[in-house]
Amino acid sequence: MDVVIGIDTGTTATKGVAAGLSGELRALTSVHYPLSVPGPGRAELDPRQLTAAAVKALTDVASECARRGDRVVAVSLSAFLHALVPMDDDGRPLGPVITWADGRSGEQADRIVAAGAARELQARTGTPVHPMSPLTKLAWWGETDPGTLRGTPRWGGVKELIVAALSGSPFLVDLSVASGTGLYDIHSRQWDDEAVKIAGVRREQLAEVLPTTARLPLRPDVASAAGLAADTPLIIGAADGPLANLGVGATPPGVAAVSLGTSGALRTVVDRPTNDTAGRLFCYALTEDRWVIGGAVNNAGSVVRWAAQSFAAGFERPGAEGEDADERDAALLEEAARVEPGSEGLLCLPYLLGERAPWWRSGMRGAYLGLRREHGRPHLVRAAVEGVCQQLALVRDSFEAEGCSITEIRATGGAAASELWVSVLAGALDLPVSVADVPEGTGLGACLLAWHALGELPDLDRAATLVPTGRHTRPDPSAAALYGRLRPLVERSALAVLDVVTELDKLAPEPLPGTEKAVGS
């Protein structure tokens, strides 16, 4: 079979998949690495680990394709959004990757908002002004180390990093990733003058923007290591969120995709760049004529992993000695599923990594409210899951406020394998949820986009017929009604405690050198 390999660089792992034109997955691999937290509000990755993981994922999947007798006709790339990394002229990193979860530029974001520039910037760039965005990260560099900001030859993100590692064409970025930087005018299709000025960089320090279907050459040594033909094209691809919609078949009107990975998001596809009037939703490109609107939440599966690390010391089931972190998470979720919806009056604000949609406010922090003596570990874990799903429901409410009606959800990501996650999501959204019957929707989306670039899949909506769906979960009416009553309390609580957590942040000591933490593996 002719196949395309999709390489999806994520926050804690790079996934590699191979898929035929029918959407059938032929191979799958995953290469993990830690997310470093060197201080409060910071979240970084080692760029060398990212590039090594991309090469290994490509090589491993290509080897499996060769074993099966499949012919690889292209390689396609996906990458997570909002990263920033200093680079030299050849695309080599000069420092760590500052990820979307890094909140160090909160003060800069707040000042842009206070100056009244945020709404117009978002209308032009499609990206809310928030510490996640490269715009505010660059502004932070300009205030803390202006010499490095000006003197660094290039500023890029994960896609530029991986393209430079796999291609002979350094410092290129796709339209999709560019549309998530907060620096690119999605209407005029060029770097935005005001945003670039606020960031303190020059246009020549930013990458050339290509269509998401652009073909590039593979580096000869990379092709050779993977056992691929020297002329195998590299499709530059898109960002992970828009590709997840494509990979789960959530491209027709009324169908939205929910990603439940380390972070989460709810997105739907439209046919032109669109921004909501209240500034609650982002707008990023899938292709030049298909765009994705939605909202991302910083915390999803990472919250359960944190709960497992924090609440499960010594937690072992009979006969489960030596189980890995994923198995432990699953066991905790199974335990939490026995708690009734609403967690017996316990409310969780799951903002461990801050929060994004729908408020796009810097400095948000997590909390448990209503905690009583009778609450135990199962309540804490279930409340965390409910908190994430309620946040996604607030994003869905923003869709409805703009007249964009959603009638069906297609879910993807590691957490979507959990029945608890899916049942709570269906209840919080009060919508049926279909779990895509593919283990890696984003990677499959990268493959389908490549088939589109090769001219073999002209109509992207055909993806909805190619992607099989697994279990179909309808919301429990009583749970949906309860979550509907609780949701205003989530919003009120989150905004009410913002002043308090801002003061608490000021009291948090900086970590001593060498005490940084790693999250995930």
Side-chain angles (χ1 to χ4, degrees):
M1 176 184 293
D2 283 355
V3 298
V4 167
I5 292 178
I7 302 298
D8 173 31
T9 301
T11 309
T12 57
T14 292
K15 310 292 180 64
V17 304
L21 179 57
S22 66
E24 176 188 352
L25 288 186
R26 304 285 286 177
L28 174 66
T29 192
S30 182
V31 183
H32 292 261
Y33 33 77
L35 175 68
S36 174
V37 183
R42 300 197 177 191
E44 300 175 352
L45 288 167
D46 184 338
R48 296 165 298 182
Q49 292 182 334
L50 293 188
T51 54
V55 173
K56 178 169 175 51
L58 174 60
T59 302
D60 289 351
V61 173
S63 296
E64 177 62 16
C65 291
R67 188 190 68 79
R68 297 177 63 116
D70 294 336
R71 183 172 74 109
V72 178
V73 298
V75 177
S76 183
L77 300 180
S78 166
F80 67 86
L81 283 169
H82 313 311
L84 182 70
V85 56
M87 307 170 78
D88 67 17
D89 282 318
D90 295 319
R92 289 186 293 260
L94 299 175
V97 176
I98 304 174
T99 73
W100 56 267
D102 193 287
R104 71 183 69 182
S105 61
E107 291 184 9
Q108 288 72 28
D110 289 344
R111 281 200 288 273
I112 295 171
V113 171
R119 189 63 58 83
E120 290 187 2
L121 280 169
Q122 181 176 347
R124 292 197 306 274
T125 68
T127 304
V129 174
H130 184 270
M132 70 174 184
S133 79
L135 166 64
T136 63
K137 291 179 171 70
L138 286 166
W140 177 87
W141 274 99
E143 290 187 22
T144 60
D145 190 354
T148 295
L149 181 73
R150 292 191 300 270
T152 297
R154 302 281 192 171
W155 288 97
V158 171
K159 181 61 73 73
E160 293 94 323
L161 187 70
I162 302 303
V163 167
L166 299 186
S167 166
S169 307
F171 223 69
L172 302 170
V173 70
D174 63 80
L175 173 65
S176 182
V177 170
S179 67
T181 60
L183 299 164
Y184 190 78
D185 188 323
I186 60 178
H187 306 284
S188 65
R189 310 291 172 88
Q190 61 184 350
W191 296 112
D192 184 82
D193 287 336
E194 182 184 3
V196 169
K197 181 178 179 180
I198 292 172
V201 293
R202 304 179 302 279
R203 281 175 179 251
E204 57 267 28
Q205 289 176 286
L206 304 175
E208 179 185 353
V209 181
L210 300 180
T212 59
T213 53
R215 302 188 194 191
L216 302 170
L218 274 175
R219 278 177 42 179
D221 58 327
V222 172
S224 176
L228 300 179
D231 61 351
T232 303
L234 176 69
I235 308 301
I236 195 168
D240 56 353
L243 286 174
N245 273 65
L246 181 59
V248 299
T251 54
V255 182
V258 167
S259 297
L260 288 171
T262 303
S263 59
L266 190 151
R267 304 167 305 271
T268 194
V269 175
V270 295
D271 59 7
R272 64 184 186 280
T274 304
N275 291 103
D276 73 303
T277 55
R280 293 164 296 189
L281 304 174
F282 58 61
C283 181
Y284 305 141
L286 173 58
T287 63
E288 292 188 297
D289 56 4
R290 302 302 294 274
W291 296 75
V292 170
I293 60 171
V297 299
N298 278 10
N299 311 271
S302 57
V303 180
V304 171
R305 179 58 52 88
W306 165 81
Q309 295 169 338
S310 303
F311 303 149
F315 173 67
E316 283 191 7
R317 296 174 297 151
E321 292 81 3
E323 66 182 359
D324 64 19
D326 290 337
E327 292 170 327
R328 184 181 58 181
D329 291 356
L332 287 178
L333 289 168
E334 182 180 325
E335 182 184 68
R338 294 192 284 270
V339 176
E340 291 296 317
S343 303
E344 298 185 21
L346 183 62
L347 189 71
C348 177
L349 306 178
Y351 313 141
L352 304 182
L353 294 171
E355 192 49 287
R356 286 181 280 179
W359 308 304
W360 307 103
R361 298 283 294 273
S362 63
M364 302 195 79
R365 297 290 180 264
Y368 280 99
L369 301 173
L371 190 63
R372 302 192 304 272
R373 183 176 179 178
E374 55 266 33
H375 291 136
R377 181 174 63 217
H379 301 84
L380 293 167
V381 173
R382 183 180 183 109
V385 172
E386 291 178 336
V388 171
C389 294
Q390 290 279 42
Q391 200 69 25
L392 289 167
L394 287 167
V395 175
R396 191 284 315 274
D397 293 346
S398 300
F399 277 64
E400 299 290 341
E402 292 299 315
C404 181
S405 180
I406 302 299
T407 58
E408 179 188 349
I409 298 293
R410 294 198 177 190
T412 184
S418 161
E419 290 188 10
L420 176 63
W421 270 105
V422 174
S423 66
V424 173
L425 181 67
L429 297 177
D430 198 12
L431 288 170
V433 175
S434 299
V435 177
D437 195 18
V438 292
E440 291 300 333
T442 302
L444 177 58
C447 293
L448 294 174
L449 182 63
W451 284 117
H452 178 63
L454 296 173
E456 300 292 337
L457 186 66
D459 181 8
L460 289 180
D461 283 343
R462 185 174 167 233
T465 67
L466 297 176
V467 180
T469 55
R471 70 187 188 279
H472 188 76
T473 301
R474 293 192 174 278
D476 176 82
S478 61
L482 175 61
Y483 291 139
R485 292 195 300 271
L486 287 172
R487 193 147 54 252
L489 300 181
V490 174
E491 186 163 14
R492 284 169 54 192
S493 300
L495 299 177
V497 303
L498 187 55
D499 288 344
V500 174
V501 297
T502 299
E503 292 301 315
L504 289 175
D505 266 359
K506 296 176 182 177
L507 299 175
E510 289 287 335
L512 296 173
T515 61
E516 56 271 352
K517 302 176 183 177
V519 180
S521 59

